[in-house]
């Protein structure tokens, strides 16, 4: 043991230890972001200028000053909020910057809002089940994440659906916007809690929309969310349950093909249900063919974390599942699968989003 210890590079060991502990720090900061969101602390700070801990506690509904002070200090340490000495010597004051507001509060107005991605600690039983997946090779179905899984996805995708889908993404597609305005039949495969359906059905009232999703929790949330729209129908089902005849002019799959056990079968079902002059719009994770190429993504470790806890797990939840996972569907693989399903044309659109690219796929 002494010989091994003597051979260690102290600087390398120190850097490795720092790297490892930095992930523990991230775990705890993630929890505190969730708590701040849950208690409305960020919202209470938005536009309020510098606040003492007592003022922030009061604005957030009469919370404990001592607990709020510790939380706010942690956010300063994490460089998520600013602080300054009190103007009258009454201790630190805390302030949320405009950038902080855009990322941590403004779900209705900012494409950069990220706070919805943060949730409480994972259920220990779920961790046990994920550990067992490594032994069996069979993953967990999406609904194993419970209602919080659908809720977290809804909040994460909501700003994009409200602010980018209609004004930015749809106009990229050849002729699709005009057809939506005139009135066509649209299916959203993997519609989740209905955030995209709500944006589209509201913007294009002459068109008719159907959403499919295998998640009971997601369909329940979508049913409540879309009750005010009379041009939307929901189906608790998977892509393979689509009509066996050409019924739709536009099909959508948003961030979900890589989650499916059989994306090849799903694409084949979409092709059958899509009219010959129709369009399939695929939103997928920005990724490359190899791990080396993907290492250019500074958030790659998080992507693999999402994959193991959700995407790849769902994609292996049935025997024979393809198990693509979060970064498992680069353009080359989508081309291969879409051609095998009977599509003949694939055009890549890149509006500059950090995480996603889009594919216009035609029969």
């Amino acid at each position: 043991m002494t010989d091994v210890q003597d051979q260690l590079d102290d600087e390398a060991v120190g850097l490795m230890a720092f790297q490892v502990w930095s992930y523990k720090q991230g775990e705890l900061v993630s929890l505190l972001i969730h708590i701040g969101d849950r208690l409305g602390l960020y919202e209470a700070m938005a536009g309020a200028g510098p606040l003492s801990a007592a003022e922030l506690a009061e604005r957030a509904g009469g919370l404990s000053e001592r607990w709020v002070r510790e939380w706010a200090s942690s956010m300063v340490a994490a460089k998520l909020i600013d602080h300054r000495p009190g103007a009258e010597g009454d201790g630190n004051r805390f302030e949320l910057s405009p950038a902080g507001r855009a990322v941590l509060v403004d779900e209705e107005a900012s494409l950069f809002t990220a706070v919805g991605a943060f949730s409480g600690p994972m259920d220990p039983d779920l961790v046990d089940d994920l550990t067992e997946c490594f032994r069996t090779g069979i993953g967990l179905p999406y609904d194993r994440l419970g209602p919080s899984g659908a809720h977290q996805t809804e909040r994460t995708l909501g700003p994009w659906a409200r602010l980018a889908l209609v004004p930015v993404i749809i106009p990229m597609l050849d002729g699709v916007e005009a057809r939506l305005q005139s009135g066509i039949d649209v299916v959203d495969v993997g519609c989740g809690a209905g955030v995209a359906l709500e944006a589209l059905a509201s913007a294009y009232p002459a068109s008719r929309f159907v959403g499919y999703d295998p998640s009971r929790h997601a369909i329940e949330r979508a049913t409540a969310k879309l009750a005010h729209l009379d041009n939307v129908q929901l189906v608790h089902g998977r892509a393979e349950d689509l009509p066996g005849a050409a019924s739709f002019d536009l099909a959508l799959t948003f961030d979900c093909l890589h989650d499916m056990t059989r994306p090849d079968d799903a694409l084949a079902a979409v092709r059958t249900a899509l009219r010959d002059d129709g369009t399939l719009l695929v939103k997928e994770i920005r990724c490359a063919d190899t791990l080396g190429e993907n290492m250019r993504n500074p958030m790659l470790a998080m992507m693999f974390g999402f994959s193991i806890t959700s995407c790849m797990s769902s994609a292996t939840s049935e025997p024979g599942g393809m198990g693509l996972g979060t970064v498992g569907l680069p353009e080359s693989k989508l081309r291969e699968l879409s051609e095998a399903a009977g599509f003949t044309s694939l055009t890549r659109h890149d509006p500059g989003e950090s995480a996603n690219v889009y594919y216009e796929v035609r029969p």
Side-chain angles (χ1 to χ4, degrees):
M1 186 67 167
T2 302
D3 291 342
V4 174
Q5 188 69 38
D6 290 343
Q7 296 171 18
L8 288 175
D9 181 331
D10 288 345
E11 183 177 358
V13 172
L15 288 172
M16 176 61 73
F18 176 80
Q19 185 80 352
V20 170
W21 281 107
S22 71
Y23 293 124
K24 184 63 179 180
Q25 174 171 259
E27 175 191 353
L28 295 170
V29 171
S30 295
L31 172 60
L32 295 175
I33 291 173
H34 166 69
I35 289 173
D37 175 52
R38 186 169 173 173
L39 291 174
L41 285 160
Y42 298 118
E43 186 175 1
M45 299 181 77
L51 298 170
S52 68
E55 290 168 338
L56 176 55
E58 182 62 29
R59 287 177 64 90
L63 302 177
S64 162
E65 182 275 340
R66 178 67 187 91
W67 281 75
V68 168
R69 175 158 40 100
E70 199 77 355
W71 174 86
S73 298
S74 77
M75 292 295 99
V76 170
K79 298 181 173 60
L80 297 182
I81 66 175
D82 301 324
H83 86 291
R84 63 184 67 180
E88 299 178 5
D90 57 348
N92 288 320
R93 288 181 173 267
F94 305 96
E95 184 174 12
L96 185 67
S97 69
R101 179 172 183 166
V103 176
L104 296 167
V105 179
D106 289 340
E107 293 186 70
E108 298 296 326
S110 170
L111 274 172
F112 293 96
T113 309
V115 71
F118 293 82
S119 58
M122 188 174 288
D123 188 322
D125 290 340
L126 181 57
V127 177
D128 290 342
D129 289 348
L130 284 171
T131 303
E132 188 62 21
C133 293
F134 281 80
R135 299 187 176 95
T136 66
I138 303 299
L140 307 178
Y142 181 75
D143 268 0
R144 178 61 184 83
L145 298 175
S148 64
H151 182 229
Q152 183 173 318
T153 302
E154 177 185 354
R155 289 193 66 192
T156 303
L157 295 180
W160 165 82
R162 289 187 289 270
L163 301 172
L165 178 54
V166 171
V168 178
I169 307 305
I170 293 298
M172 295 189 308
L173 309 178
D174 185 17
V176 169
E177 185 173 31
R179 297 187 71 189
L180 282 166
Q181 290 168 343
S182 298
I184 57 174
D185 295 297
V186 183
V187 62
D188 185 355
V189 181
C191 67
V195 290
L197 282 172
E198 183 176 40
L200 291 167
S202 299
Y204 306 110
S207 288
R208 300 158 297 280
F209 298 84
V210 182
Y212 279 71
D213 203 284
S215 166
R216 174 175 58 84
H217 299 304
I219 288 294
E220 287 175 355
R221 294 191 68 85
T223 299
K225 176 183 287 291
L226 305 175
H228 65 290
L229 295 168
D230 59 8
N231 59 337
V232 180
Q233 294 180 337
L234 296 169
V235 178
H236 181 206
R238 50 199 293 164
E240 292 85 340
D241 298 321
L242 287 168
S247 307
F248 299 102
D249 305 288
L250 175 64
L252 314 167
T253 68
F254 292 151
D255 276 328
C256 64
L257 272 178
H258 63 262
D259 297 328
M260 298 180 185
T261 55
R262 301 299 313 191
D264 51 349
D265 293 342
L267 285 168
V270 170
R271 175 62 191 95
T272 298
L274 195 64
R275 296 184 176 115
D276 288 341
D277 62 347
T279 301
L280 166 62
L281 172 60
V282 177
K283 178 188 181 191
E284 268 298 331
I285 298 297
R286 181 188 297 275
C287 61
D289 293 272
T290 67
L291 176 60
E293 293 173 285
N294 282 324
M295 286 297 293
R296 291 176 296 199
N297 180 354
M299 307 303 285
L300 184 62
M302 181 181 72
M303 293 294 184
F304 280 114
F306 285 145
S307 195
I308 288 173
T309 57
S310 179
C311 300
M312 191 197 74
S313 184
S314 173
T316 57
S317 60
E318 298 172 350
M322 292 184 71
L324 295 180
T326 306
V327 292
L329 193 53
E331 181 178 343
S332 60
K333 184 65 175 178
L334 181 59
R335 284 186 181 276
E336 173 192 325
L337 293 176
S338 61
E339 288 174 7
F343 292 95
T344 63
S345 169
L346 184 150
T347 302
R348 177 184 172 118
H349 296 287
D350 188 349
E353 296 178 14
S354 60
N356 292 100
V357 290
Y358 298 83
Y359 302 96
E360 182 178 349
V361 188
R362 303 271 182 161

